[in-house]
Amino acid sequence: MARYIIGRLLSLIFVLFAVSLIAFLLMHQVPGGPFSMSDKGPLPAATQEAMLRKYGLDKPLWVQYTRYIWHALHGDFGVPFQSPTETVTGLIMRTWPVTIKIGIPTIAIAYALGTLFGFIAALKQNTWVDYTVSFGATLGMVVPNFVVAIWLLLLFSVYLGWLEPGGWGKPQDYIMPVIAYCLAPMALVARYTRTCILDVLRADYVRTARAKGLAEQRVLTWHVGRNALIPFVTILLPEIPNILTGSIFIESTFRIPGLGRFFVTSTQARDYPMILALVLLVAAFWGLTYILTDVLYTVLDPRIRLGGGKVAG
Amino acid sequence: MATSTSVAREDLLAGAEARLRVQAPRSAAYYAMRRYFRQRLAVVGFVIVLFLMVIGFGAPLLAPTGYADADLMSANEYPSWHHPLGTDAIGHDFLSRVMYGTRTSLIVGFSAVAVACLIGIPLGVAAGLYGGLTDFVVMRLVEIMTAFPGLLFAIFLMTITGPGVRNIILVIGITSWVTICRLMRAQLLTLREQEYVTAARSIGASELKIAVRHLLPNALAPVIVAITLAIPLAIFAEAGLSYIGVGINEPTPSLGKMVADSAPYIRVYWYLGLFPTLAIALIMLGFTFVGDGLRDALDPRQM
């Protein structure tokens, strides 16, 4: 197990290098540099040169890249050109908590209600309850969250006039972003819970458990619930980094000062250090979650052996 | 007496004939189609997609005005008989804009998925058939593509290439081939081990013949489903990129861009936000129902 995890971590490091290199090469393909424009029009050539020299951008690309990696390995991710008075780490530490504050209630609501709806739909298979949940889940999964956000704005801010259309700080500012953000994962959770529970309900060991006279309650929690958890973990855990790194759509619609908007502004401002930091952050977060998922998988299902072993049974 | 016997015999014959007719073999496509149209949501999806195609591709004929025809004197009018969906800030007839926006969505959706297929299918086939080094290289490529934040990658590429329909098609295609490639490879890996492939090999069929005659046709069904379900995702990507301002620019109408433009004025001109969002939701729902229906029709064993 330890060997397997170390192997996976090493391969994650390789992927991070590859990803950072691709991002680095790609962003230098974007025409224009970070200092070619100011608020008052194009900067004079001499000023541009001085700025480029200040940030080491006049060096050949490979020098810049190795230098970046060297500094990054020492925990220094540079200065964001959009906001040169702080460090990249500082900027992320300032804005990411805002995104996480939206993300945590989103995850909590989506997973709790999604599991509940999925469970109910599976137990009431082929009744109107099941059809309603399944239809709602399809709707939730395919309607983009910025579309939902606009509908919420139309309902709560325009038609009912209950909520401010955007802003950040007051507790009620959470309501619309969290609803708009949680519908898609909730639908995904409900759909997978339903499928998993239905699969397990048909399994032989559940029939055996019932046949030997176990209380339905115990069959559902002990036999069904536990086994349905396995596919659940593999499919739904990887959604979490997605949610926690924020949605550009939600944050721009409701004007939330989180991490999400930097995904757009950094590219537009040719903010090289910020771009690389975001790419690495997301890739590392995803990679670690996938490793965690695979490890949890073996804990939940002893039939699975990691690292090339055969699956028994 | 005699007549009734002959009638009875004729009945018997007719019955037997009818049974024979029913049992006559039909093509797999016929049964798949019958299974498809038995599902209520799949039929609804089919009707929605048909409707969208008519108003989208028929926009040049059906729309009241062209997509760039603006009448500043009648800007920001609420929905009326004259302009059923109202007019926007520069006096475009909004019904025409939404119809042309649907057209853009459909064009981008279909073409981007075609690009994704052109990249994903050959790579998946190569990885699945040859294995070894080819498989290793393709899978590392897939791994890196998966690790790279998709949206950020798309934003990058859009900034490099600049806005526009052709560029967004290429960018969405380049960022979305992985699913199709993986599926193709996984299909071939499973099929390669099937008994009938071993049987074909043992009677001396060439590898090329096995691939063309046995592997690819059997791998096709799930890939077709994946392709159908990739269309709404591509349409979503276009709407999303245009929504954050790096997709399609004026004067080409894009539903995502229309939604974004409506946001600042939504308290007053609610219809500018409502109609394009409804159109996006309808497009997404229609194609997803069709994809889900196809999946159940083509492979009843799958969930």
Side-chain angles (χ1 to χ4, degrees), chain B residues 149-192:
Chain B
L151 188 62
L152 202 54
F153 194 35
I155 294 173
F156 258 178
L157 293 178
M158 283 313 292
T159 324
I160 297 172
T161 56
V165 175
R166 192 199 59 198
N167 291 344
I168 206 167
I169 288 171
L170 291 176
V171 166
I172 295 174
I174 289 170
T175 49
S176 63
W177 55 270
V178 169
T179 322
I180 293 170
C181 169
R182 265 189 167 152
L183 186 69
M184 196 75 217
R185 170 180 174 272
Q187 279 292 311
L188 292 180
L189 285 184
T190 328
L191 291 172
R192 245 181 14 186

Side-chain angles (χ1 to χ4, degrees), chain A:
Chain A
M1 186 67 135
R3 207 189 152 91
Y4 172 78
I5 296 176
I6 291 169
R8 285 290 299 268
L9 286 174
L10 287 177
S11 116
L12 176 62
I13 291 171
F14 161 77
V15 169
L16 287 183
F17 266 111
V19 163
S20 69
L21 185 62
I22 293 173
F24 186 84
L25 292 175
L26 264 179
M27 71 191 190
H28 283 278
Q29 295 305 309
V30 178
F35 309 109
S36 47
M37 286 295 272
S38 75
D39 301 337
K40 300 179 185 67
L43 281 175
T47 322
Q48 281 194 41
E49 254 172 54
M51 293 292 272
L52 289 178
R53 202 160 43 241
K54 176 173 187 305
Y55 291 108
L57 297 174
D58 52 342
K59 302 273 190 308
L61 280 186
W62 68 270
V63 177
Q64 288 186 41
Y65 181 70
T66 40
R67 215 188 245 182
Y68 176 82
I69 292 292
W70 181 249
H71 287 304
L73 288 175
H74 291 78
D76 173 12
F77 290 89
V79 170
F81 302 152
Q82 301 167 74
S83 168
T85 51
E86 56 190 333
T87 60
V88 166
T89 325
L91 180 61
I92 290 178
M93 284 302 148
R94 187 163 58 80
T95 53
W96 200 11
V98 176
T99 297
I100 292 178
K101 273 187 211 158
I102 294 278
I104 287 175
T106 300
I107 293 173
I109 294 174
Y111 282 55
L113 288 184
T115 318
L116 186 69
F117 287 146
F119 214 91
I120 293 173
L123 295 183
K124 306 260 178 215
Q125 195 194 1
N126 297 331
T127 63
W128 66 269
V129 182
D130 183 23
Y131 295 138
T132 314
V133 171
S134 299
F135 184 76
T138 311
L139 207 64
M141 270 170 67
V142 303
V143 177
N145 55 19
F146 64 88
V147 167
V148 177
I150 294 285
W151 290 348
L152 290 174
L153 279 175
L154 284 171
L155 179 65
F156 288 118
S157 302
V158 181
Y159 188 69
L160 297 171
W162 289 352
L163 295 169
E164 287 288 306
W168 187 245
K170 297 184 292 301
Q172 61 264 36
D173 292 337
Y174 282 75
I175 299 175
M176 288 194 288
V178 169
I179 297 179
Y181 206 6
C182 78
L183 289 185
M186 188 196 298
L188 188 74
V189 172
R191 204 167 160 155
Y192 275 107
T193 310
R194 178 181 173 276
T195 312
C196 295
I197 299 274
L198 282 180
D199 268 357
V200 176
L201 276 176
R202 282 192 219 108
D204 290 338
Y205 54 80
V206 170
R207 199 184 317 132
T208 310
R210 282 189 176 140
K212 71 182 185 190
L214 277 186
E216 187 65 15
Q217 190 82 42
R218 193 172 157 80
V219 175
L220 287 184
T221 50
W222 191 244
H223 292 82
V224 176
R226 187 161 175 255
N227 283 291
L229 212 62
I230 298 166
F232 196 77
V233 164
T234 46
I235 290 153
L236 300 177
L237 213 59
E239 279 297 299
I240 289 180
N242 258 344
I243 298 173
L244 286 185
T245 43
S247 161
I248 302 169
F249 306 120
I250 298 290
E251 292 187 6
S252 76
T253 310
F254 294 111
R255 301 199 302 278
I256 297 165
L259 193 61
R261 71 197 150 110
F262 289 104
F263 284 86
V264 185
T265 55
S266 302
T267 318
Q268 281 167 350
R270 319 285 188 263
D271 188 346
Y272 303 142
M274 195 63 194
I275 294 174
L276 280 177
L278 286 175
V279 171
L280 284 175
L281 179 78
V282 174
F285 201 3
W286 274 354
L288 288 175
T289 314
Y290 276 115
I291 296 176
L292 181 68
T293 307
D294 287 351
V295 170
L296 267 182
Y297 207 34
T298 55
V299 175
L300 287 171
D301 190 347
R303 281 171 303 185
I304 292 159
R305 302 268 171 276
L306 293 178
K310 282 271 187 259
V311 176

Side-chain angles (χ1 to χ4, degrees), chain B:
Chain B
M1 194 72 190
T3 42
S4 80
T5 323
S6 74
V7 168
R9 190 180 294 153
E10 257 167 40
D11 272 359
L12 212 67
L13 276 175
E17 249 170 44
R19 235 169 297 137
L20 273 179
R21 231 176 292 137
V22 169
Q23 283 163 358
R26 308 265 198 175
S27 70
Y30 168 82
Y31 285 110
M33 211 157 87
R34 217 170 58 171
R35 276 199 299 272
Y36 180 90
F37 282 102
R38 257 193 219 138
Q39 309 166 70
R40 208 179 308 155
L41 281 184
V43 175
V44 172
F46 182 75
V47 172
I48 294 177
V49 168
L50 213 61
F51 169 72
L52 290 168
M53 299 244 209
V54 169
I55 66 158
F57 292 123
L61 297 171
L62 300 172
T65 66
Y67 64 81
D69 298 346
D71 175 12
L72 264 175
M73 297 309 288
S74 57
N76 282 328
E77 277 179 16
Y78 282 85
S80 64
W81 279 113
H82 194 56
H83 297 290
L85 303 190
T87 59
D88 68 8
I90 16 181
H92 293 124
D93 172 59
F94 212 50
L95 174 64
S96 312
R97 292 288 287 177
V98 171
M99 286 172 77
Y100 275 101
T102 307
R103 175 189 167 88
T104 311
S105 289
L106 294 177
I107 292 174
V108 171
F110 289 135
S111 325
V113 172
V115 173
C117 288
L118 283 180
I119 306 172
I121 291 180
L123 284 181
V125 169
L129 283 187
Y130 299 122
L133 184 65
T134 321
D135 188 34
F136 181 82
V137 172
V138 170
M139 284 323 280
R140 290 296 83 73
L141 202 61
V142 163
E143 206 168 287
I144 291 168
M145 286 294 296
T146 320
F148 208 99
L151 188 62
L152 202 54
F153 194 35
I155 294 173
F156 258 178
L157 293 178
M158 283 313 292
T159 324
I160 297 172
T161 56
V165 175
R166 192 199 59 198
N167 291 344
I168 206 167
I169 288 171
L170 291 176
V171 166
I172 295 174
I174 289 170
T175 49
S176 63
W177 55 270
V178 169
T179 322
I180 293 170
C181 169
R182 265 189 167 152
L183 186 69
M184 196 75 217
R185 170 180 174 272
Q187 279 292 311
L188 292 180
L189 285 184
T190 328
L191 291 172
R192 245 181 14 186
E193 308 300 323
Q194 298 288 314
E195 273 93 1
Y196 60 81
V197 175
T198 321
R201 196 167 287 136
S202 69
I203 58 171
S206 70
E207 288 302 312
L208 181 72
K209 177 150 189 180
I210 289 174
V212 174
R213 181 115 186 92
H214 297 285
L215 296 178
L216 292 181
N218 284 304
L220 218 55
V223 175
I224 289 176
V225 174
I227 290 172
T228 320
L229 287 172
I231 295 173
L233 289 181
I235 291 175
F236 167 62
E238 182 275 313
L241 287 172
S242 300
Y243 182 73
I244 53 179
V246 294
I248 291 172
N249 267 358
E250 296 297 329
T252 314
S254 152
L255 294 173
K257 184 80 171 36
M258 284 183 221
V259 179
D261 291 344
S262 79
Y265 316 107
I266 199 161
R267 286 188 132 168
V268 189
Y269 304 113
W270 52 269
Y271 57 92
L272 293 180
L274 183 63
F275 297 123
T277 48
L278 282 179
I280 294 174
L282 199 63
I283 295 175
M284 297 292 295
L285 262 187
F287 279 100
T288 309
F289 285 159
V290 170
D292 285 349
L294 269 184
R295 178 179 50 202
D296 294 343
L298 288 176
D299 191 357
R301 282 160 305 166
Q302 264 181 2
M303 271 303 296

